[in-house]
Amino acid sequence: MKKSLKVVERRVAVQLVVSHVYSLPLCVRLRYEPADPYVVRAAFFVDCDEPVEWILGRDLLTDGLEGSAGHAEVRIWSAAGRGDESIYIALGSSAGTALLEVPVQDISSFLQDTQALVPRGTEPGLIDWDAELAHLLPQG
């Protein structure tokens, strides 16, 4: 396993879409760590002490820039083709669904930085497979 102390982190201003005419501003911190190369951690800062964190697939975000991606709890689609420079991220849980409007440029720039650090397709070389197996197999 290759060790790297570098991470890609970016704060992005997003809009929580409440209705067609009303939205609330939120701040999200996107974080990518080569030690967990397939995921992007999205921490949403709302009116509480601790952020709400979601784990998103890096490939899912990349695919969402091009069109629709995901299903069930996480769906991402681009609105850029309609003259809008945003992507939409729908996050669902048992508590409800949140629709976020995110600037395309912020996501695109963040993903470019992650791929400069870990090119797409090279993720398996960064995983400590022995440690992963140790978590799955019973100890004893």
Short mmCIF file of all heavy atoms in Angstrom, two decimals, residues 90-132:
data_model
loop_
_atom_site.label_atom_id
_atom_site.label_comp_id
_atom_site.label_asym_id
_atom_site.label_seq_id
_atom_site.Cartn_x
_atom_site.Cartn_y
_atom_site.Cartn_z
N ALA A 90 -29.63 14.71 -4.71
CA ALA A 90 -30.75 14.34 -3.85
C ALA A 90 -30.25 13.29 -2.87
O ALA A 90 -29.72 12.24 -3.28
CB ALA A 90 -31.91 13.81 -4.68
N LEU A 91 -30.39 13.58 -1.60
CA LEU A 91 -29.98 12.67 -0.53
C LEU A 91 -31.23 12.24 0.22
O LEU A 91 -31.99 13.09 0.70
CB LEU A 91 -29.01 13.37 0.43
CG LEU A 91 -27.74 13.95 -0.19
CD1 LEU A 91 -26.97 14.76 0.85
CD2 LEU A 91 -26.88 12.84 -0.76
N GLY A 92 -31.45 10.95 0.32
CA GLY A 92 -32.64 10.45 0.99
C GLY A 92 -32.30 9.54 2.15
O GLY A 92 -31.31 8.82 2.12
N SER A 93 -33.11 9.62 3.18
CA SER A 93 -32.96 8.73 4.34
C SER A 93 -34.35 8.51 4.92
O SER A 93 -35.34 9.04 4.43
CB SER A 93 -32.04 9.36 5.39
OG SER A 93 -32.69 10.43 6.04
N SER A 94 -34.41 7.76 6.00
CA SER A 94 -35.69 7.53 6.64
C SER A 94 -36.28 8.83 7.19
O SER A 94 -37.48 8.94 7.39
CB SER A 94 -35.55 6.51 7.76
OG SER A 94 -34.63 6.97 8.72
N ALA A 95 -35.43 9.83 7.41
CA ALA A 95 -35.90 11.12 7.94
C ALA A 95 -36.46 12.02 6.84
O ALA A 95 -37.12 13.01 7.14
CB ALA A 95 -34.75 11.84 8.64
N GLY A 96 -36.20 11.71 5.58
CA GLY A 96 -36.70 12.53 4.49
C GLY A 96 -35.67 12.67 3.38
O GLY A 96 -34.67 11.97 3.35
N THR A 97 -35.93 13.61 2.48
CA THR A 97 -35.06 13.83 1.34
C THR A 97 -34.62 15.28 1.31
O THR A 97 -35.41 16.18 1.60
CB THR A 97 -35.80 13.50 0.02
OG1 THR A 97 -36.21 12.13 0.06
CG2 THR A 97 -34.90 13.71 -1.18
N ALA A 98 -33.36 15.49 0.96
CA ALA A 98 -32.83 16.84 0.79
C ALA A 98 -32.38 16.98 -0.66
O ALA A 98 -31.73 16.09 -1.20
CB ALA A 98 -31.66 17.08 1.73
N LEU A 99 -32.72 18.10 -1.27
CA LEU A 99 -32.29 18.40 -2.63
C LEU A 99 -31.33 19.57 -2.55
O LEU A 99 -31.67 20.65 -2.04
CB LEU A 99 -33.48 18.75 -3.52
CG LEU A 99 -33.14 19.14 -4.96
CD1 LEU A 99 -32.43 17.99 -5.69
CD2 LEU A 99 -34.40 19.56 -5.70
N LEU A 100 -30.11 19.34 -3.05
CA LEU A 100 -29.07 20.36 -3.00
C LEU A 100 -28.73 20.82 -4.41
O LEU A 100 -28.60 20.01 -5.33
CB LEU A 100 -27.81 19.78 -2.35
CG LEU A 100 -28.02 19.22 -0.95
CD1 LEU A 100 -26.84 18.37 -0.54
CD2 LEU A 100 -28.25 20.34 0.04
N GLU A 101 -28.55 22.12 -4.55
CA GLU A 101 -28.09 22.71 -5.80
C GLU A 101 -26.64 23.13 -5.58
O GLU A 101 -26.35 23.91 -4.67
CB GLU A 101 -28.95 23.91 -6.17
CG GLU A 101 -28.58 24.54 -7.48
CD GLU A 101 -29.48 25.72 -7.83
OE1 GLU A 101 -30.49 25.94 -7.14
OE2 GLU A 101 -29.17 26.39 -8.81
N VAL A 102 -25.74 22.60 -6.42
CA VAL A 102 -24.31 22.79 -6.23
C VAL A 102 -23.70 23.35 -7.51
O VAL A 102 -23.98 22.83 -8.60
CB VAL A 102 -23.63 21.45 -5.87
CG1 VAL A 102 -22.16 21.66 -5.53
CG2 VAL A 102 -24.35 20.76 -4.71
N PRO A 103 -22.86 24.38 -7.42
CA PRO A 103 -22.22 24.90 -8.62
C PRO A 103 -21.36 23.84 -9.32
O PRO A 103 -20.51 23.19 -8.69
CB PRO A 103 -21.35 26.05 -8.11
CG PRO A 103 -21.98 26.44 -6.80
CD PRO A 103 -22.53 25.17 -6.23
N VAL A 104 -21.58 23.67 -10.62
CA VAL A 104 -20.82 22.68 -11.41
C VAL A 104 -19.33 22.93 -11.29
O VAL A 104 -18.54 22.00 -11.12
CB VAL A 104 -21.27 22.71 -12.89
CG1 VAL A 104 -20.30 21.92 -13.78
CG2 VAL A 104 -22.66 22.16 -13.05
N GLN A 105 -18.92 24.18 -11.40
CA GLN A 105 -17.49 24.50 -11.40
C GLN A 105 -16.81 24.05 -10.11
O GLN A 105 -15.69 23.57 -10.13
CB GLN A 105 -17.26 26.00 -11.63
CG GLN A 105 -15.80 26.38 -11.76
CD GLN A 105 -15.06 25.57 -12.82
OE1 GLN A 105 -15.56 25.33 -13.91
NE2 GLN A 105 -13.85 25.14 -12.50
N ASP A 106 -17.49 24.19 -8.98
CA ASP A 106 -16.89 23.77 -7.70
C ASP A 106 -16.67 22.26 -7.66
O ASP A 106 -15.62 21.78 -7.21
CB ASP A 106 -17.77 24.21 -6.53
CG ASP A 106 -17.78 25.71 -6.33
OD1 ASP A 106 -16.87 26.39 -6.84
OD2 ASP A 106 -18.71 26.21 -5.67
N ILE A 107 -17.67 21.50 -8.11
CA ILE A 107 -17.54 20.04 -8.11
C ILE A 107 -16.50 19.61 -9.14
O ILE A 107 -15.65 18.75 -8.86
CB ILE A 107 -18.90 19.36 -8.40
CG1 ILE A 107 -19.90 19.66 -7.28
CG2 ILE A 107 -18.74 17.86 -8.60
CD1 ILE A 107 -19.52 19.10 -5.93
N SER A 108 -16.53 20.19 -10.31
CA SER A 108 -15.59 19.84 -11.37
C SER A 108 -14.15 20.11 -10.94
O SER A 108 -13.27 19.27 -11.12
CB SER A 108 -15.93 20.63 -12.64
OG SER A 108 -15.04 20.32 -13.66
N SER A 109 -13.91 21.26 -10.36
CA SER A 109 -12.57 21.62 -9.89
C SER A 109 -12.11 20.68 -8.78
O SER A 109 -10.95 20.22 -8.77
CB SER A 109 -12.58 23.07 -9.40
OG SER A 109 -11.37 23.41 -8.82
N PHE A 110 -13.00 20.38 -7.84
CA PHE A 110 -12.66 19.45 -6.76
C PHE A 110 -12.29 18.08 -7.32
O PHE A 110 -11.27 17.50 -6.95
CB PHE A 110 -13.85 19.34 -5.79
CG PHE A 110 -13.67 18.28 -4.74
CD1 PHE A 110 -12.87 18.52 -3.64
CD2 PHE A 110 -14.30 17.05 -4.86
CE1 PHE A 110 -12.70 17.54 -2.67
CE2 PHE A 110 -14.15 16.07 -3.89
CZ PHE A 110 -13.34 16.32 -2.79
N LEU A 111 -13.10 17.57 -8.25
CA LEU A 111 -12.83 16.25 -8.84
C LEU A 111 -11.53 16.24 -9.65
O LEU A 111 -10.79 15.25 -9.62
CB LEU A 111 -14.01 15.79 -9.69
CG LEU A 111 -15.26 15.41 -8.89
CD1 LEU A 111 -16.43 15.17 -9.83
CD2 LEU A 111 -15.00 14.19 -8.01
N GLN A 112 -11.23 17.33 -10.33
CA GLN A 112 -9.95 17.41 -11.05
C GLN A 112 -8.79 17.30 -10.08
O GLN A 112 -7.80 16.62 -10.37
CB GLN A 112 -9.87 18.71 -11.85
CG GLN A 112 -10.73 18.73 -13.08
CD GLN A 112 -10.75 20.11 -13.74
OE1 GLN A 112 -10.12 21.05 -13.30
NE2 GLN A 112 -11.54 20.22 -14.81
N ASP A 113 -8.90 17.95 -8.93
CA ASP A 113 -7.84 17.87 -7.92
C ASP A 113 -7.71 16.45 -7.36
O ASP A 113 -6.60 15.98 -7.11
CB ASP A 113 -8.09 18.86 -6.80
CG ASP A 113 -7.91 20.31 -7.23
OD1 ASP A 113 -7.38 20.56 -8.34
OD2 ASP A 113 -8.32 21.21 -6.47
N THR A 114 -8.84 15.76 -7.15
CA THR A 114 -8.76 14.38 -6.64
C THR A 114 -8.12 13.47 -7.67
O THR A 114 -7.33 12.59 -7.32
CB THR A 114 -10.13 13.81 -6.25
OG1 THR A 114 -10.93 13.56 -7.39
CG2 THR A 114 -10.87 14.71 -5.27
N GLN A 115 -8.43 13.69 -8.95
CA GLN A 115 -7.87 12.82 -9.99
C GLN A 115 -6.41 13.14 -10.27
O GLN A 115 -5.67 12.26 -10.72
CB GLN A 115 -8.74 12.89 -11.24
CG GLN A 115 -10.08 12.22 -10.97
CD GLN A 115 -11.03 12.23 -12.14
OE1 GLN A 115 -10.62 12.31 -13.29
NE2 GLN A 115 -12.32 12.15 -11.84
N ALA A 116 -5.96 14.36 -9.96
CA ALA A 116 -4.54 14.67 -10.05
C ALA A 116 -3.78 13.92 -8.95
O ALA A 116 -2.64 13.49 -9.15
CB ALA A 116 -4.31 16.18 -9.93
N LEU A 117 -4.42 13.76 -7.80
CA LEU A 117 -3.81 13.04 -6.68
C LEU A 117 -3.88 11.53 -6.88
O LEU A 117 -2.90 10.82 -6.69
CB LEU A 117 -4.52 13.44 -5.39
CG LEU A 117 -3.97 12.91 -4.08
CD1 LEU A 117 -2.53 13.35 -3.86
CD2 LEU A 117 -4.85 13.38 -2.92
N VAL A 118 -5.05 11.04 -7.30
CA VAL A 118 -5.28 9.61 -7.55
C VAL A 118 -6.04 9.49 -8.86
O VAL A 118 -7.26 9.68 -8.89
CB VAL A 118 -6.09 8.94 -6.41
CG1 VAL A 118 -6.35 7.47 -6.73
CG2 VAL A 118 -5.39 9.09 -5.07
N PRO A 119 -5.34 9.20 -9.97
CA PRO A 119 -6.05 9.07 -11.25
C PRO A 119 -7.09 7.96 -11.20
O PRO A 119 -6.93 6.94 -10.53
CB PRO A 119 -4.92 8.71 -12.23
CG PRO A 119 -3.68 9.23 -11.58
CD PRO A 119 -3.91 9.07 -10.10
N ARG A 120 -8.19 8.22 -11.92
CA ARG A 120 -9.27 7.24 -11.99
C ARG A 120 -8.73 5.93 -12.56
O ARG A 120 -8.00 5.92 -13.54
CB ARG A 120 -10.38 7.78 -12.90
CG ARG A 120 -11.74 7.25 -12.60
CD ARG A 120 -12.79 8.05 -13.34
NE ARG A 120 -14.10 7.51 -13.05
CZ ARG A 120 -15.20 7.92 -13.64
NH1 ARG A 120 -15.16 8.89 -14.52
NH2 ARG A 120 -16.36 7.38 -13.33
N GLY A 121 -9.05 4.83 -11.91
CA GLY A 121 -8.57 3.51 -12.32
C GLY A 121 -7.39 3.01 -11.51
O GLY A 121 -7.05 1.83 -11.56
N THR A 122 -6.74 3.91 -10.74
CA THR A 122 -5.58 3.50 -9.94
C THR A 122 -5.93 3.27 -8.47
O THR A 122 -5.06 2.96 -7.67
CB THR A 122 -4.44 4.53 -10.03
OG1 THR A 122 -4.87 5.76 -9.43
CG2 THR A 122 -4.01 4.77 -11.48
N GLU A 123 -7.20 3.40 -8.12
CA GLU A 123 -7.63 3.29 -6.73
C GLU A 123 -7.25 1.96 -6.07
O GLU A 123 -6.82 1.97 -4.91
CB GLU A 123 -9.16 3.49 -6.61
CG GLU A 123 -9.65 4.83 -7.05
CD GLU A 123 -10.09 4.87 -8.51
OE1 GLU A 123 -9.74 3.95 -9.27
OE2 GLU A 123 -10.78 5.82 -8.88
N PRO A 124 -7.37 0.81 -6.76
CA PRO A 124 -7.05 -0.45 -6.07
C PRO A 124 -5.63 -0.53 -5.52
O PRO A 124 -5.39 -1.19 -4.51
CB PRO A 124 -7.27 -1.52 -7.15
CG PRO A 124 -8.25 -0.90 -8.10
CD PRO A 124 -7.91 0.56 -8.10
N GLY A 125 -4.70 0.16 -6.14
CA GLY A 125 -3.32 0.15 -5.67
C GLY A 125 -3.11 0.87 -4.36
O GLY A 125 -2.06 0.74 -3.73
N LEU A 126 -4.09 1.62 -3.90
CA LEU A 126 -3.98 2.38 -2.66
C LEU A 126 -4.65 1.70 -1.48
O LEU A 126 -4.54 2.16 -0.35
CB LEU A 126 -4.59 3.77 -2.84
CG LEU A 126 -3.88 4.65 -3.86
CD1 LEU A 126 -4.67 5.92 -4.10
CD2 LEU A 126 -2.47 4.97 -3.40
N ILE A 127 -5.36 0.62 -1.73
CA ILE A 127 -6.10 -0.05 -0.66
C ILE A 127 -5.21 -1.08 0.03
O ILE A 127 -4.53 -1.87 -0.61
CB ILE A 127 -7.37 -0.72 -1.23
CG1 ILE A 127 -8.30 0.37 -1.78
CG2 ILE A 127 -8.08 -1.55 -0.17
CD1 ILE A 127 -9.50 -0.16 -2.51
N ASP A 128 -5.23 -1.06 1.35
CA ASP A 128 -4.50 -2.04 2.15
C ASP A 128 -5.42 -3.26 2.27
O ASP A 128 -6.24 -3.37 3.17
CB ASP A 128 -4.17 -1.46 3.52
CG ASP A 128 -3.35 -2.40 4.37
OD1 ASP A 128 -3.25 -3.60 4.04
OD2 ASP A 128 -2.79 -1.93 5.39
N TRP A 129 -5.27 -4.18 1.31
CA TRP A 129 -6.17 -5.34 1.23
C TRP A 129 -6.05 -6.25 2.44
O TRP A 129 -7.05 -6.83 2.89
CB TRP A 129 -5.93 -6.12 -0.07
CG TRP A 129 -6.30 -5.31 -1.27
CD1 TRP A 129 -5.46 -4.72 -2.16
CD2 TRP A 129 -7.63 -4.96 -1.69
NE1 TRP A 129 -6.18 -4.03 -3.12
CE2 TRP A 129 -7.52 -4.17 -2.86
CE3 TRP A 129 -8.90 -5.24 -1.21
CZ2 TRP A 129 -8.62 -3.66 -3.53
CZ3 TRP A 129 -10.00 -4.73 -1.88
CH2 TRP A 129 -9.85 -3.96 -3.03
N ASP A 130 -4.86 -6.38 3.01
CA ASP A 130 -4.70 -7.20 4.21
C ASP A 130 -5.51 -6.64 5.38
O ASP A 130 -6.18 -7.38 6.11
CB ASP A 130 -3.22 -7.30 4.60
CG ASP A 130 -2.41 -8.12 3.61
OD1 ASP A 130 -3.00 -9.00 2.92
OD2 ASP A 130 -1.20 -7.87 3.49
N ALA A 131 -5.47 -5.33 5.55
CA ALA A 131 -6.25 -4.70 6.62
C ALA A 131 -7.75 -4.85 6.36
O ALA A 131 -8.51 -5.10 7.29
CB ALA A 131 -5.88 -3.23 6.75
N GLU A 132 -8.16 -4.70 5.11
CA GLU A 132 -9.58 -4.86 4.78
C GLU A 132 -10.06 -6.28 5.07
O GLU A 132 -11.13 -6.49 5.63
CB GLU A 132 -9.84 -4.51 3.30
CG GLU A 132 -9.61 -3.06 2.97
CD GLU A 132 -10.55 -2.12 3.70
OE1 GLU A 132 -11.73 -2.46 3.91
OE2 GLU A 132 -10.09 -1.03 4.07
#
